């Protein structure tokens, strides 16, 4: 139940590589490259309906050959994450559905029009020490891609030590109805159309020790400013968002992250309850002045704690904003000079404790 590719070779893929359960694929540094104008996932587990267990993929380069691909308009993001067979999934690197106790490690994903990796209905999957670059590009024209790494209905999984560069729609999105996942020790750079880390309608997730830079970089093809005659990125650094459903955004922890030069808020928590934001450093939020919210922005939440954060050099953002919230606690934050407003701004809220923010 193991296959070792020949070392340092390139394999051109015209059909998906389908892997069973209890199987190890060792790439030996070789590359799987998608053939031109080939609409398929490159690596997929065998049983998408009932699932597979104990799959390991390692030491591999997976190249989506983005510039030689076409798109099937019928296969949008909804089609991909609801797929029951591989021919419904276009331009995705690894597609795991109903997979358990599995690991993807030391894999480089590059040049994917859609997601580099999709994890759906999975449990106890690890994505560790992977490099993801130049992915999720199709949203430039049609907003189909979700993020470079996209999860949905996934539990008890770990994303640790991954690096994201130039992934247009953001680094990693822990999507709807996911629970108890950890995103740790990642680097996300120049991912302008989305967040470095997005936790959406998910609960009891930990986002810790990540570095997010330049979700605001100039050159974003989506947002044009007639004032500066330039395009600008619009993503937040780290977003914790119930997407208008507070019952699905509970108990998340965002801590000890470094966030700089974002298109919108540095860190936001929207529509949820009992979430914590602490020990983070935020600077350069709302970098070009076209986004909204504070460097740390809390909105439409209940019982959120934001404390011991450092907020500095946010020339186009108020240090911390609290809006439409109840019973939140904002305290012991270090607010250094250089913000648009060195304050905690509270609007349309009740039961808000703000103390020792200086």
């Amino acid at each position: 139940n193991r296959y070792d590719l020949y070392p340092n070779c390139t394999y051109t893929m015209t059909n998906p590589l389908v892997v069973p359960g209890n199987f190890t694929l060792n790439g030996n540094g070789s590359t799987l490259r998608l053939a031109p104008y080939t609409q398929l996932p490159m690596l997929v587990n065998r049983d998408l309906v009932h699932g597979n267990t104990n799959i390991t993929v390692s030491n591999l380069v997976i190249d989506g050959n983005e510039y030689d691909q076409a798109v099937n308009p019928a296969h949008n993001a909804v089609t991909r994450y609801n797929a029951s067979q591989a021919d419904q999934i276009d331009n995705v690197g690894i597609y795991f559905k109903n997979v358990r106790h599995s690991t993807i490690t030391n894999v480089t994903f590059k040049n994917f029009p859609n997601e580099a990796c999709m994890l759906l209905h999975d449990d106890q999957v690890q994505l560790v020490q992977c490099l993801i670059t130049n992915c999720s590009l199709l949203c430039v024209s049609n907003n189909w891609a979700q993020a470079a790494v996209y999860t949905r209905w996934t539990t008890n999984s770990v994303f640790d030590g991954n690096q994201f560069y130039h992934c247009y729609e953001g680094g990693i999105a822990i999507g709807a109805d996911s629970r108890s996942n950890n995103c740790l020790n990642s680097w996300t750079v120049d991912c302008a159309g989305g967040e470095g880390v997005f936790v959406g309608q998910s609960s009891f997730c930990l986002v810790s020790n990540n570095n997010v830079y330049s979700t605001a970089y100039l050159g974003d093809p989506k947002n044009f400013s007639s004032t500066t005659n330039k395009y600008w990125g619009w993503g937040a650094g780290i977003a914790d968002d119930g997407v208008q459903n507070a019952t699905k955004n509970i108990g998340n922890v965002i801590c000890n992250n470094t966030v700089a030069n974002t298109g919108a808020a540095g860190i936001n928590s929207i529509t949820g309850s009992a979430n914590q934001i602490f020990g983070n450093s935020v600077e350069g939020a709302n970098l070009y002045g076209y986004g909204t919210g504070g460097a740390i922005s809390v909105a439409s939440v209940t019982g959120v704690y934001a404390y011991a954060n450092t907020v500095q050099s946010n020339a186009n953002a108020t240090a911390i904003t609290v809006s439409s919230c109840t019973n939140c606690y904002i305290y012991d934050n270090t607010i250094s000079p250089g913000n648009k407003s060195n304050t905690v701004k509270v609007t349309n809220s009740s039961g808000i404790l703000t103390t020792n923010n200086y």
Side-chain angles (χ1 to χ4, degrees):
N1 292 324
R2 178 186 176 96
Y3 190 83
D4 293 271
L5 299 179
Y6 286 109
N8 304 312
C9 294
T10 298
Y11 299 80
T12 300
M13 307 289 293
T14 57
N15 289 290
L17 180 59
V18 179
V19 295
N22 300 307
F23 181 82
T24 294
L25 175 66
N26 174 22
N28 272 326
S30 285
T31 297
L32 305 181
R33 191 169 192 266
L34 191 60
Y37 304 105
T38 305
Q39 297 170 348
L40 50 81
M42 295 185 67
L43 192 151
V44 60
N45 64 293
R46 176 172 290 171
D47 190 342
L48 298 181
V49 176
H50 300 101
N52 301 102
T53 302
N54 296 328
I55 299 171
T56 299
V57 180
S58 64
N59 307 317
L60 185 64
V61 177
I62 304 179
D63 184 351
N65 190 18
E66 186 267 336
Y67 297 106
D68 287 329
Q69 300 305 327
V71 235
N72 182 343
H75 292 175
N76 58 22
V78 177
T79 303
R80 287 197 299 281
Y81 61 66
N82 286 326
S84 59
Q85 54 195 39
D87 63 6
Q88 298 171 328
I89 308 157
D90 290 351
N91 307 113
V92 173
I94 291 180
Y95 187 94
F96 277 179
K97 191 169 189 178
N98 292 307
V99 166
R100 298 169 298 282
H101 304 288
S102 295
T103 300
I104 302 165
T105 182
N106 195 28
V107 173
T108 295
F109 301 84
K110 62 182 182 179
N111 304 328
F112 278 95
N114 289 320
E115 298 82 3
C117 183
M118 295 188 79
L119 305 175
L120 308 164
H121 295 281
D122 294 342
D123 182 64
Q124 298 183 61
V125 171
Q126 296 186 71
L127 181 78
V128 295
Q129 299 296 325
C130 292
L131 171 64
I132 302 98
T133 182
N134 202 42
C135 294
S136 67
L137 302 175
L138 277 182
C139 62
V140 171
S141 59
N142 54 38
N143 203 29
W144 285 350
Q146 301 293 293
V149 173
Y150 180 65
T151 80
R152 196 174 176 97
W153 310 291
T154 290
T155 55
N156 304 308
S157 293
V158 176
F159 309 91
D160 191 357
N162 302 296
Q163 299 180 56
F164 300 86
Y165 296 97
H166 309 296
C167 295
Y168 181 81
E169 188 66 356
I172 180 168
I174 299 174
D177 295 300
S178 294
R179 294 172 67 90
S180 303
N181 299 296
N182 296 337
C183 180
L184 313 170
N185 305 309
S186 70
W187 284 80
T188 304
V189 179
D190 287 351
C191 297
E195 292 75 18
V197 181
F198 178 76
V199 180
Q201 289 192 355
S202 298
S203 295
F204 308 110
C205 294
L206 172 64
V207 179
S208 182
N209 291 305
N210 301 285
N211 295 272
V212 179
Y213 297 102
S214 298
T215 63
Y217 82 100
L218 292 176
D220 181 332
K222 257 189 174 179
N223 296 280
F224 181 75
S225 164
S226 58
T227 304
T228 63
N229 201 35
K230 293 180 179 179
Y231 293 89
W232 59 282
W234 60 278
I238 298 173
D240 171 37
D241 193 343
V243 195
Q244 301 180 356
N245 191 333
T247 64
K248 293 187 176 183
N249 181 26
I250 301 170
N252 296 314
V253 175
I254 300 172
C255 66
N256 303 322
N257 303 284
T258 299
V259 178
N261 299 342
T262 57
I267 297 174
N268 64 32
S269 181
I270 305 172
T271 318
S273 63
N275 299 315
Q276 297 187 56
I277 304 169
F278 64 88
N280 303 285
S281 173
V282 179
E283 62 180 280
N286 191 18
L287 186 64
Y288 298 118
Y290 302 113
T292 59
I296 295 176
S297 180
V298 181
S300 302
V301 296
T302 300
V304 165
Y305 289 73
Y307 59 95
N309 300 286
T310 299
V311 183
Q312 61 186 352
S313 302
N314 297 281
N316 291 309
T318 297
I320 300 174
T321 59
V322 180
S323 61
S324 303
C325 298
T326 56
N327 301 327
C328 293
Y329 305 86
I330 316 297
Y331 62 94
D332 292 347
N333 296 287
T334 299
I335 301 176
S336 299
N339 303 295
K340 182 179 180 180
S341 174
N342 297 314
T343 61
V344 177
K345 181 180 179 181
V346 179
T347 57
N348 301 319
S349 300
S350 61
I352 308 300
L353 171 68
T354 62
T355 185
N356 293 332
N357 301 290
Y358 58 90

